Amino acid sequence: MSTVSEPLVGSSRSLSATKRHKSVRKNSRRIYSAYQDHEGSSDDEDKDDERVDSNDPEEMFQNIQYQKEIIANIRTRPWPMRRKLKVLKHAREIVLKYEGRLTRTRGYQTAGADLLKKLSRVLYNVVVLFIPWEVRIKKIESHFGSGVASYFIFLRWLFGINIVLTIMTGAFIVLPELLAGAPFGTTRSKTIPKEHLASAQDLDTIWSLGGYLQYSVLFYGYYGRVRKIGSAGYRLPLAYFLVGMAVFAYSFIILLRKMAKNSRLSLASASDENFTFCWRVFCAWDYLIGNPEAAESKGAAIVNNIREAIVEEQEKKKDTSLAVLISLRILANILVLLSLAGSIYIIYFVVDRSQKLEQEKPELTLWEKNEVSVVVSLITMIAPSAFELVAQLEMYHPRTSLRFQLARVLVLYLGNLYSLIIALLDKVNSMSSAVPVNPGNWSDSSAFLATISQPEVDSLSTLVSDISVSEHRNSTIATIATVLDVTNSGRSSAGTSNQTALFEKNTRSQQDQCWETYVGQEMLKLSIIDMIFTVASILLIDFIRGLVVRYLSDCCCWDLESKFPEYGEFKIAENVLHLIYNQGMIWMGAFFSPCLPAFNVLKLIGLMYLRSWAVLTCNVPHQQVFRASRSNNFYLAMLLFMLFLCMLPTIFAIVRYRPSRHCGPFSGQEKIYDIISETVANDFPLWFSKVMSYVTSPVVVLPALLLLFMLIYYLQAIARSLKFTNNQLRMQLQTERTEDKKKVFQMAAARLQAPEAAADKKPDQQESDVTSQEASVHTPSPRRNGSVTNFQSPVRRGNSIRTITQSASRAELNRGSVAGSVRSPAVTILPKHRLEHIPNRPPPFLGGPGGTCRSKSYHHMAYNPPARYPDNIHSDPLCRKTVRSIHPVEAAGIITAQSYGGRRGHTTRYVIVNEHEPRKKLLRSATRIPRHYLMEESAEILELYPRNIKRYAPRNTHHQPHPHRSHPSQQHLSEEEEEEEEGKGRRRVSLGKAHRPRSLSDLHQPAHFYIGERAESHVSMAKDSRTAQRRYGVQEEDEEEDGEGEMDWGDLESHSRFQANVRGADPLLVRTRRHIHSPGRHFQSPARTRPMESHVKPKTRPKLETPLTESDSASLASSSDQQNSSTDQYIQVIHNKERYLKSEARQGKLAKKKSKTGFDLNQSESNDLVSSNV
Amino acid sequence: MGNKQTTFTDEQLEAYQDCTFFTRKEVLRLHGRYRELAPHLVPLDYTNNPDIRVPLTLIVTMPELKVLCSVAGQENPFRDRIVETFSEDGQGNLTFNDFVDMFSALCETSPRELKTIYAFKIYDFNRDNFICKEDLQRTLNKLTKGELTPEEVTLVCDKAIEEADLDGDTKLSFADFENMISKAPDFLSNFHVRI
């Protein structure tokens, strides 16, 4: 098809093709069809040029826009690169060439856009360089597939989040405190107590995060409580609080956004449909895998998978010893629960013990200090493997067991974290409650003393120094108050041992009392220990094991690699869970230890390198890879869950506990969040605090809450209904699709049967046709003028006898008419149109001039019709008569339409005369609607008219003359009818109304119309037989063998023709509004219209193609198979077209101006319909 | 970016970037890879679009086929099919354009529709625009390296067709295929190749 057509079709077609692609991208199926028909003709895009009319800036602009669209979307087209390059080059040239002709501003605009595009591309090129670990991840991906890589991508994503968190805390808390806050050692909370000073630098102390580390920016306790620091008056406490909250807020937002994006990406939401086998076959292979071992295991996994599916399919339910299984599962769950409870108890116990130890023993061993975190980390390490062992008891399907495993591990992690934090908070509770109650007076007074003592020591001492010393020595007078006493005792080393001891104890408890620091310490410790354990496990479990397996397998009696130790598997799910757990720790501790995110960043970096190294060196991928794409959101959901649960304790602590008094930014406040109200009260104008108080009063909050709930409910309801409609639509789509397919399938089958069946059925059917026609005649007649109908029916029968001669003459006449039309003065337009058609036509026709082709086809018709369809032929005389009779009656405009029909059908001379006249009139009168001309003309060429007239004639009572002429109201009516009517027959009727001028034609052939499909098909075939199908059908009958080859040609031709028809209409709609605006132009200058048509036509083609093909096949089937199958097929065909019609009709409605054109479309398409049906 | 040795003109690079999903650097890297395949055949200078094809046999037999071994994969059972699908002559001889095209279509950012089309082509062994039973069998055999018994293979083929075939013609048209693939959860993540 491509090669021959290329030169002729040339520019217009290629253009249309590209255009087609543009519209097609939305629907991949359409893409495919496009791609199919382009496959052969790879070069037809090459001459991609549009005749740009330099006069028309609008057109030019559109063209340029269009070209630009090509440039923008070219990468998504399934063309070979060479073609893409060519098209691209060409499009660029056009843009360059014509852009200058546009107005300046447009030129600048586009230039600016170009520049922007270039810049963004450069930027993108640069940015890509900075995505961390891209190469590394790609390498892993190429070795182990997307599953393993998803872990690393997740890791990288977490890394990104932590970076942001670090920046937030670093920039707004840590840095200001370091730069502007009181320096180390200046205040009590920032100095290391004396008795700890000696050990503050011990590795031991540092390791347990005591000493210098404890009194550093790492922890909450270090931050000053001064409301404003630095010269700028930075409100550190406020910032601390806000950042603490912002960390959570940011995490939430980023998580939710990511999840939303993911869910948008995955179309797989429709999970009710299962293509188990297909997916396993077509989607199983991970094209990323490049490593032989990975490929091997993947292959094995796929085989397993398929086998599994087979087994499942064969015996859907294998209830082997259900009782045992159930009991086993119960046992397993009990075990898991026990281990969970045990782990929680152990953690609680350990925390408790460490607390007691701390109180009892002044010196703690290394083990005792790190007990808690070590135990927690151990549990998190060991328990998952234990769970896995337990899971083997259960004998679940691997995937469900993986899910169970994940859920359990998650619960375990959460339980660990929770029991830890609860134990800690418990401790905090006892701490904060013990201090005031137990030595209540003491602590208070001492605290007071302590705070006062340092700043005031000097002044006091200066005042009282002399006296005090003496007094102290004497110790007789206690008048000066204990204050002095204590201070002095503190200062003088000679003070009583009791007092100093007391004081020491007080200060210590007072510093330890900083529970926030304590919690932060524990979390950081946990994080560190966790890191150590991770590293250790990677080294031991993976690396050493890998080494052993690889190098000792030779000297072992069994195969280490495949039997017992094997290589460590990379358990994606568990590792991801571990990441989540880790992140949970960070969130939990971030408020109390602002540097935790920073630490986590380091940890993640280390983890990334270590893991990737380990994976590449000593791991094999997990056999049961958890689906990467689906797991993405699964992981994220877990992360979200974790975030929420980790936020709770922090929030709880913030709300529930008093901040410790002597350390941290909130010391001295009743609650941590008081900082907000305090700030509002002090630093904002009065009205603001007033407003705030109103806003926060229950009167406002409660309704707001209610509103929120209502909103949530409403949105949920909407979501539910959307889901419902979504489901319905999907079902509808599917049923429709399947039905369509089935129809096509049937048709194909019918086509196969056709040759045999055709011969037998013909005679019978013909007879039946006659009868049916008669019957039909009666029915329509009442609607129209009764007299006319009656008159017709007899005539018809009589005609059937005549038919032979007529048909023969017709064929000749047709030929003659083609030639004649060219000659005829009035028909100046015709030749041009023909020319247009020719290029569009597929190659076979191109070879010969259009006339010959047609004549050929006519010949066929000519032969056949007389023999077969006498009935059909009789219509001709009727037409003539009708034409005559009507002429006087109808207005000139109407006549034109009729005349077309008449001319076509009979090609009698006088008809021709009629044609010319009306045309002239039309041309003149039709200035309104130039497209109309296009359509009609094309129709003429196709010569579809006669047929239509016959068919639709009966219904012409409604009579709509050609749409353009018809009254707008009528048009609307018809459109509506079309939409409403579901019954095919009725629709047809409506169509008929729409198209048909209520001409004489109506009169003569009402019967066909009513008779239904068969009659029509016969008639149409016999009569015009100009449409390819008819032709084809005829041919088939004549020469069944040859039919095959010719069929195709015929199809092609019919395509082109139909397309042409439709095109004529479509262009008007879609493409060229200007034409509509200036209808006169086209008409007047046929030369101009031509190019327009040419681009326009090809464009419409893609849409029509499917229906056309179907209809073709349908028509083929019907022609060959005759009436039996024809009804069904017919229905189906109409069905398809109906859609188009409707849509177009709607379009037409949309734009008023277009409405007429849309109508035309309907007409033209209805013509198609008719022809195809026939 | 002034390159020391101009492999492509800026214009060419722009065009490639327009036509593919690659950045400039990636295009250059692709060329490097391509050249690695057959250094004596492929010139460094591509400014005048030499028409050079690296034949499939060469691509497959050469030991240092880093790209195709590690990417499209020696391990990849569909390696030959991929290469054939993207070669313009259908024989598996790749010009550089085909080469770039191949990786562009298979890269991460290419849309699902495009991938679906090419996936269909890859699985359509006999190029009749349908995935028929024979295609499926070949696919399966490639995938499982013949580890399944013939009965199993036929069973799977029947089942697969039964599942996805909407029109009951016992073969999968593109529409069927697309419908099926669009619901597959990991088609997108699996059907791509890194360079």
Side-chain angles (χ1 to χ4, degrees):
Chain A
M1 164 178 179
S2 62
T3 51
V4 188
S5 66
E6 221 46 83
L8 283 174
V9 175
S11 57
S12 64
R13 191 170 154 226
S14 59
L15 216 205
S16 69
T18 49
K19 235 171 257 162
R20 186 188 322 167
H21 277 290
K22 174 173 62 184
S23 65
V24 144
R25 267 195 334 141
K26 294 164 208 152
N27 183 339
S28 57
R29 198 167 358 122
R30 276 207 239 139
I31 282 190
Y32 190 66
S33 62
Y35 129 77
Q36 271 182 323
D37 72 39
H38 275 280
E39 203 170 26
S41 61
S42 66
D43 285 12
D44 76 344
E45 306 291 331
D46 294 352
K47 307 147 198 161
D48 182 353
D49 76 307
E50 177 160 338
R51 290 169 209 124
V52 181
D53 235 346
S54 52
N55 306 336
D56 190 350
E58 189 57 31
E59 187 176 348
M60 206 157 62
F61 183 66
Q62 272 185 11
N63 181 24
I64 286 177
Q65 289 300 324
Y66 162 65
Q67 298 291 355
K68 279 183 179 162
E69 211 164 314
I70 292 182
I71 295 176
N73 294 327
I74 196 165
R75 58 173 66 168
T76 62
R77 293 183 187 170
W79 301 339
M81 179 65 69
R82 192 166 59 86
R83 172 137 148 249
K84 277 199 236 177
L85 286 177
K86 265 186 195 164
V87 174
L88 179 74
K89 199 173 155 204
H90 193 81
R92 281 227 174 107
E93 272 168 10
I94 288 184
V95 169
L96 263 188
K97 191 170 156 197
Y98 293 111
E99 212 160 38
R101 290 203 219 162
L102 291 175
T103 58
R104 275 257 167 92
T105 47
R106 257 185 199 150
Y108 287 139
Q109 275 172 8
T110 50
D114 274 358
L115 195 68
L116 212 67
K117 205 173 115 202
K118 234 171 220 170
L119 266 183
S120 67
R121 185 170 276 172
V122 168
L123 212 67
Y124 176 68
N125 283 347
V126 171
V127 164
V128 165
L129 293 181
F130 288 100
I131 296 177
W133 305 309
E134 187 71 10
V135 176
R136 190 172 282 264
I137 289 180
K138 277 186 182 175
K139 196 173 163 199
I140 291 170
E141 208 168 26
S142 67
H143 276 77
F144 289 91
S146 54
V148 173
S150 76
Y151 167 81
F152 289 95
I153 291 171
F154 187 66
L155 178 64
R156 186 172 64 182
W157 185 70
L158 278 182
F159 172 75
I161 288 186
N162 278 294
I163 291 253
V164 176
L165 295 188
T166 306
I167 289 172
M168 270 160 52
T169 54
F172 296 110
I173 303 178
V174 178
L175 269 186
E177 174 66 32
L178 281 180
L179 295 178
F184 181 73
T186 49
T187 58
R188 188 101 211 162
S189 65
K190 291 189 183 185
T191 44
I192 301 170
K194 215 177 300 152
E195 82 276 7
H196 286 177
L197 201 56
S199 67
Q201 286 181 316
D202 290 358
L203 188 63
D204 185 24
T205 321
I206 297 287
W207 178 247
S208 59
L209 301 176
Y212 280 109
L213 286 185
Q214 185 175 351
Y215 299 95
S216 68
V217 286
L218 274 182
F219 298 110
Y220 168 91
Y222 183 79
Y223 294 87
R225 56 164 302 187
V226 191
R227 281 197 64 237
K228 295 183 177 182
I229 56 171
S231 53
Y234 187 78
R235 293 184 180 83
L236 184 72
L238 181 66
Y240 195 98
F241 183 76
L242 289 184
V243 166
M245 296 299 105
V247 164
F248 289 121
Y250 171 78
S251 309
F252 262 120
I253 291 171
I254 204 88
L255 251 177
L256 287 176
R257 275 190 56 185
K258 177 88 173 174
M259 285 179 79
K261 195 176 150 205
N262 269 356
S263 64
R264 235 179 297 132
L265 270 183
S266 64
L267 280 171
S269 57
S271 54
D272 53 332
E273 282 168 293
N274 248 332
F275 298 96
T276 331
F277 282 97
C278 281
W279 288 346
R280 266 164 226 229
V281 173
F282 292 121
C283 308
W285 186 254
D286 191 338
Y287 283 78
L288 286 167
I289 290 178
N291 180 349
E293 284 176 22
E296 214 167 88
S297 66
K298 181 77 185 175
I302 290 173
V303 172
N304 279 341
N305 236 332
I306 293 176
R307 283 233 170 90
E308 231 166 61
I310 293 174
V311 170
E312 266 172 39
E313 194 65 31
Q314 279 169 346
E315 31 172 341
K316 282 259 179 176
K317 52 201 172 184
K318 43 170 184 176
D319 39 9
T320 51
S321 61
L322 206 68
V324 176
L325 197 63
I326 286 180
S327 57
L328 270 180
R329 284 179 185 173
I330 290 176
L331 179 70
N333 276 316
I334 290 175
L335 280 179
V336 168
L337 282 181
L338 277 184
S339 61
L340 280 179
S343 72
I344 289 172
Y345 174 73
I346 288 176
I347 290 171
Y348 202 83
F349 172 77
V350 167
V351 173
D352 203 39
R353 198 175 91 106
S354 75
Q355 208 172 322
K356 274 181 197 145
L357 276 180
E358 228 166 78
Q359 281 174 357
E360 286 160 9
K361 280 207 269 179
E363 281 302 303
L364 299 176
T365 62
L366 182 65
W367 162 249
E368 281 163 346
K369 278 179 185 166
N370 297 306
E371 213 175 25
V372 177
S373 33
V374 169
V375 166
V376 171
S377 300
L378 265 182
I379 290 177
T380 55
M381 250 188 65
I382 294 172
S385 332
F387 287 166
E388 205 166 349
L389 280 182
V390 170
Q392 289 185 348
L393 275 182
E394 296 177 304
M395 297 191 288
Y396 275 124
H397 184 278
R399 186 158 294 138
T400 40
S401 80
L402 185 64
R403 273 195 200 132
F404 268 94
Q405 168 80 352
L406 282 178
R408 282 169 189 161
V409 172
L410 187 68
V411 169
L412 174 81
Y413 285 161
L414 272 176
N416 285 352
L417 276 184
Y418 255 68
S419 53
L420 180 67
I421 197 81
I422 287 173
L424 285 180
L425 288 182
D426 203 30
K427 195 171 161 188
V428 165
N429 207 7
S430 68
M431 246 158 57
S432 54
S433 63
V435 173
V437 173
N438 195 11
N441 307 329
W442 270 114
S443 67
D444 279 339
S445 63
S446 66
F448 174 67
L449 287 177
T451 46
I452 294 175
S453 61
Q454 287 210 333
E456 290 184 359
V457 161
D458 297 1
S459 61
L460 273 178
S461 62
T462 52
L463 277 177
V464 199
S465 60
D466 299 340
I467 314 163
S468 66
V469 171
S470 63
E471 280 175 356
H472 182 69
R473 289 277 152 80
N474 299 336
S475 74
T476 51
I477 304 161
T479 49
I480 298 190
T482 51
V483 182
L484 291 177
D485 212 43
V486 176
T487 50
N488 287 331
S489 71
R491 288 181 78 211
S492 63
S493 57
T496 53
S497 60
N498 290 340
Q499 280 176 331
T500 50
L502 251 182
F503 177 75
E504 292 289 303
K505 204 186 170 193
N506 282 337
T507 50
R508 213 194 108 189
S509 72
Q510 156 203 341
Q511 303 238 331
D512 273 351
Q513 202 180 311
C514 206
W515 58 267
E516 293 94 341
T517 299
Y518 176 71
V519 173
Q521 263 175 316
E522 285 301 321
M523 296 315 295
L524 186 54
K525 230 188 266 178
L526 188 62
S527 191
I528 290 174
I529 301 279
D530 178 74
M531 182 175 78
I532 289 170
F533 270 82
T534 311
V535 171
S537 78
I538 289 175
L539 286 183
L540 278 179
I541 298 184
D542 291 333
F543 184 59
I544 303 289
R545 181 171 159 193
L547 282 185
V548 167
V549 169
R550 180 147 291 181
Y551 293 106
L552 294 189
S553 62
D554 293 339
C555 28
C556 211
C557 44
W558 70 87
D559 187 7
L560 286 177
E561 292 194 11
S562 60
K563 291 280 173 54
F564 168 55
E566 295 178 341
Y567 290 107
E569 282 182 341
F570 186 78
K571 296 171 184 164
I572 301 167
E574 269 120 81
N575 280 310
V576 168
L577 263 190
H578 189 259
L579 276 184
I580 290 172
Y581 165 68
N582 179 51
Q583 192 60 35
M585 280 191 304
I586 303 306
W587 279 322
M588 217 177 237
F591 187 76
F592 305 113
S593 170
C595 289
L596 209 50
F599 169 77
N600 198 33
V601 166
L602 297 181
K603 185 176 169 179
L604 287 180
I605 293 177
L607 202 59
M608 172 62 111
Y609 283 104
L610 193 67
R611 267 266 180 249
S612 58
W613 167 78
V615 162
L616 287 175
T617 49
C618 44
N619 271 344
V620 290
H622 200 296
Q623 289 256 340
Q624 270 295 329
V625 174
F626 201 66
R627 296 269 164 114
S629 62
R630 212 184 290 167
S631 62
N632 267 341
N633 249 354
F634 181 72
Y635 295 154
L636 287 176
M638 285 200 293
L639 194 61
L640 190 69
F641 187 54
M642 199 66 166
L643 170 61
F644 179 70
L645 289 183
C646 288
M647 200 183 67
L648 281 186
T650 310
I651 301 286
F652 176 75
I654 288 174
V655 172
R656 171 74 175 72
Y657 295 105
R658 282 183 76 175
S660 42
R661 277 190 204 180
H662 307 292
C663 60
F666 309 112
S667 51
Q669 289 173 270
E670 193 52 34
K671 294 279 188 238
I672 287 177
Y673 54 80
D674 281 347
I675 189 76
I676 296 287
S677 50
E678 193 187 307
T679 312
V680 168
N682 296 346
D683 297 340
F684 284 91
L686 198 60
W687 62 266
F688 188 78
S689 63
K690 244 184 196 169
V691 168
M692 283 306 289
S693 72
Y694 285 135
V695 167
T696 53
S697 71
V699 183
V700 179
V701 170
L702 278 183
L705 264 183
L706 264 182
L707 192 72
L708 265 184
F709 279 125
M710 274 163 15
L711 205 69
I712 289 172
Y713 181 76
Y714 173 70
L715 287 180
Q716 219 209 337
I718 285 189
R720 229 181 296 139
S721 70
L722 282 182
K723 209 176 186 181
F724 181 69
T725 49
N726 193 17
N727 267 339
Q728 270 196 330
L729 280 179
R730 200 188 321 129
M731 267 166 52
Q732 206 176 320
L733 198 75
Q734 203 169 356
T735 53
E736 204 155 293
R737 203 184 272 176
T738 43
E739 270 178 18
D740 282 1
K741 297 251 164 134
K742 272 175 192 160
K743 293 271 166 66
V744 172
F745 183 61
Q746 283 173 4
M747 270 177 244
R751 190 161 136 195
L752 288 178
Q753 296 169 356
E756 306 127 29
D760 310 343
K761 289 170 189 170
K762 276 166 201 164
D764 307 351
Q765 287 169 357
Q766 287 174 1
E767 290 175 16
S768 66
D769 289 352
V770 177
T771 55
S772 63
Q773 284 175 357
E774 291 174 358
S776 65
V777 173
H778 294 291
T779 48
S781 61
R783 293 192 189 176
R784 291 204 246 101
N785 307 332
S787 62
V788 179
T789 49
N790 293 335
F791 156 67
Q792 282 177 349
S793 60
V795 173
R796 231 197 245 154
R797 287 180 198 164
N799 290 340
S800 64
I801 303 171
R802 283 182 230 154
T803 47
I804 298 175
T805 55
Q806 284 182 348
S807 64
S809 66
R810 200 207 303 152
E812 290 163 15
L813 284 174
N814 285 342
R815 264 180 258 153
S817 70
V818 174
S821 63
V822 179
R823 280 177 241 146
S824 63
V827 192
T828 49
I829 297 163
L830 274 179
K832 283 160 195 169
H833 289 289
R834 285 245 177 86
L835 289 176
E836 293 165 12
H837 282 287
I838 293 169
N840 293 330
R841 230 179 277 151
F845 284 97
L846 294 177
T852 58
C853 290
R854 260 179 229 154
S855 64
K856 195 182 174 189
S857 61
Y858 296 145
H859 283 297
H860 289 295
M861 292 162 44
Y863 298 156
N864 302 325
R868 262 190 248 152
Y869 312 101
D871 304 42
N872 302 336
I873 296 166
H874 52 63
S875 62
D876 297 349
L878 289 179
C879 286
R880 262 183 239 154
K881 287 172 190 172
T882 53
V883 171
R884 265 180 239 148
S885 63
I886 291 173
H887 273 297
V889 177
E890 281 180 318
I894 297 171
I895 294 170
T896 58
Q898 299 161 354
S899 66
Y900 284 127
R903 174 193 33 137
R904 277 301 104 89
H906 318 283
T907 60
T908 45
R909 259 172 250 150
Y910 99 93
V911 172
I912 291 173
V913 173
N914 287 335
E915 290 176 8
H916 297 303
E917 288 172 1
R919 267 207 204 138
K920 287 171 191 171
K921 286 175 188 173
L922 269 175
L923 294 181
R924 276 171 230 151
S925 64
T927 48
R928 269 191 272 154
I929 314 152
R931 338 122 209 178
H932 181 71
Y933 280 114
L934 299 178
M935 280 188 25
E936 282 187 349
E937 285 158 355
S938 59
E940 289 171 5
I941 296 169
L942 299 179
E943 298 163 346
L944 295 174
Y945 267 97
R947 246 187 298 149
N948 297 336
I949 294 170
K950 290 174 209 161
R951 270 186 226 152
Y952 296 111
R955 260 298 193 102
N956 290 342
T957 39
H958 302 268
H959 67 82
Q960 297 196 349
H962 272 297
H964 54 281
R965 265 175 253 143
S966 68
H967 312 282
S969 63
Q970 281 178 339
Q971 289 177 357
H972 284 289
L973 270 178
S974 65
E975 286 170 21
E976 288 169 7
E977 280 173 318
E978 283 172 12
E979 286 179 19
E980 290 167 12
E981 286 171 4
E982 290 175 356
K984 272 83 198 185
R986 285 193 76 203
R987 181 180 324 116
R988 240 188 278 136
V989 175
S990 66
L991 289 177
K993 291 177 227 159
H995 328 284
R996 256 342 97 197
R998 46 101 133 106
S999 61
L1000 0 155
S1001 57
D1002 303 348
L1003 300 178
H1004 40 90
Q1005 286 199 350
H1008 295 283
F1009 174 72
Y1010 263 98
I1011 291 165
E1013 300 77 13
R1014 308 163 174 189
E1016 287 177 10
S1017 64
H1018 282 288
V1019 174
S1020 59
M1021 284 178 63
K1023 234 197 185 179
D1024 300 333
S1025 71
R1026 269 159 219 175
T1027 55
Q1029 305 117 349
R1030 272 185 246 139
R1031 220 179 294 148
Y1032 171 60
V1034 175
Q1035 289 175 356
E1036 236 194 349
E1037 291 162 9
D1038 290 350
E1039 334 134 353
E1040 288 187 1
E1041 304 305 326
D1042 302 355
E1044 298 266 336
E1046 295 215 3
M1047 268 177 65
D1048 295 344
W1049 293 128
D1051 285 352
L1052 290 175
E1053 206 202 7
S1054 66
H1055 273 293
S1056 66
R1057 283 190 183 177
F1058 295 148
Q1059 287 158 7
N1061 290 342
V1062 179
R1063 267 176 242 148
D1066 228 10
L1068 305 172
L1069 262 186
V1070 184
R1071 253 224 116 197
T1072 58
R1073 275 175 219 167
R1074 349 148 203 162
H1075 296 294
I1076 297 174
H1077 295 298
S1078 61
R1081 208 202 271 163
H1082 296 284
F1083 160 69
Q1084 288 156 357
S1085 60
R1088 264 207 118 196
T1089 56
R1090 199 196 305 158
M1092 183 199 83
E1093 274 187 350
S1094 62
H1095 8 108
V1096 172
K1097 285 172 194 167
K1099 199 185 173 190
T1100 55
R1101 209 185 298 156
K1103 266 196 218 160
L1104 296 177
E1105 261 166 0
T1106 41
L1108 281 176
T1109 49
E1110 282 174 321
S1111 66
D1112 288 350
S1113 57
S1115 64
L1116 286 175
S1118 66
S1119 62
S1120 57
D1121 196 9
Q1122 303 284 323
Q1123 274 47 7
N1124 290 345
S1125 59
S1126 65
T1127 38
D1128 295 356
Q1129 294 155 0
Y1130 184 67
I1131 288 169
Q1132 202 247 328
V1133 172
I1134 287 182
H1135 188 58
N1136 291 338
K1137 299 225 161 165
E1138 181 189 34
R1139 274 181 241 142
Y1140 287 106
L1141 289 176
K1142 278 183 190 172
S1143 66
E1144 263 143 352
R1146 254 172 248 146
Q1147 283 181 353
K1149 280 180 185 173
L1150 280 181
K1152 285 177 190 172
K1153 284 209 172 181
K1154 288 177 190 171
S1155 67
K1156 284 178 191 173
T1157 55
F1159 201 20
D1160 292 359
L1161 267 183
N1162 290 343
Q1163 267 201 340
S1164 65
E1165 281 174 19
S1166 61
N1167 290 342
D1168 289 355
L1169 255 182
V1170 174
S1171 60
S1172 63
N1173 296 337
V1174 177
Chain B
M1 295 187 199
N3 280 324
K4 325 96 214 172
Q5 166 75 41
T6 51
T7 309
F8 299 105
T9 60
D10 270 355
E11 202 179 323
Q12 276 176 313
L13 280 176
E14 286 290 316
Y16 276 124
Q17 288 184 65
D18 270 332
C19 291
T20 67
F21 297 94
F22 292 129
T23 62
R24 170 189 204 94
K25 198 179 148 201
E26 282 167 324
V27 173
L28 288 174
R29 190 168 66 198
L30 267 182
H31 178 260
R33 295 288 179 105
Y34 184 64
R35 193 153 176 274
E36 267 174 39
L37 296 182
H40 55 283
L41 271 181
V42 182
L44 193 54
D45 181 17
Y46 246 75
T47 47
N48 49 0
N49 278 325
D51 185 25
I52 285 160
R53 286 162 198 269
V54 176
L56 175 66
T57 50
L58 191 63
I59 288 177
V60 175
T61 51
M62 279 189 61
E64 65 270 37
L65 296 183
K66 289 229 169 105
V67 183
L68 287 180
C69 280
S70 68
V71 178
Q74 200 173 34
E75 319 311 331
N76 189 335
F78 302 110
R79 170 193 45 176
D80 292 356
R81 273 306 293 164
I82 296 177
V83 176
E84 277 169 28
T85 304
F86 283 95
S87 70
E88 233 174 328
D89 57 3
Q91 303 297 312
N93 305 326
L94 292 185
T95 65
F96 178 64
N97 282 338
D98 298 334
F99 191 74
V100 174
D101 205 23
M102 174 166 82
F103 285 107
S104 173
L106 288 174
C107 84
E108 209 175 3
T109 39
S110 74
R112 183 189 281 269
E113 292 80 30
L114 193 66
K115 285 192 175 183
T116 310
I117 289 171
Y118 281 114
F120 186 78
K121 278 187 173 184
I122 285 174
Y123 291 124
D124 181 17
F125 283 84
N126 51 15
R127 292 177 201 159
D128 59 355
N129 291 329
F130 286 102
I131 294 183
C132 52
K133 213 166 164 189
E134 179 199 350
D135 295 325
L136 257 175
Q137 273 170 358
R138 287 176 75 172
T139 308
L140 257 182
N141 284 333
K142 288 213 173 206
L143 199 58
T144 59
K145 305 197 173 76
E147 277 189 47
L148 292 179
T149 63
E151 297 88 59
E152 281 172 326
V153 170
T154 42
L155 185 90
V156 171
C157 291
D158 289 343
K159 283 285 166 194
I161 286 182
E162 186 185 308
E163 276 169 5
D165 186 19
L166 290 180
D167 48 10
D169 58 358
T170 64
K171 51 189 180 179
L172 305 186
S173 68
F174 179 72
D176 298 332
F177 185 75
E178 189 231 345
N179 178 40
M180 183 268 295
I181 278 293
S182 70
K183 280 161 192 153
D186 32 54
F187 170 70
L188 265 197
S189 64
N190 276 350
F191 195 76
H192 77 263
V193 165
R194 295 271 193 185
I195 49 155

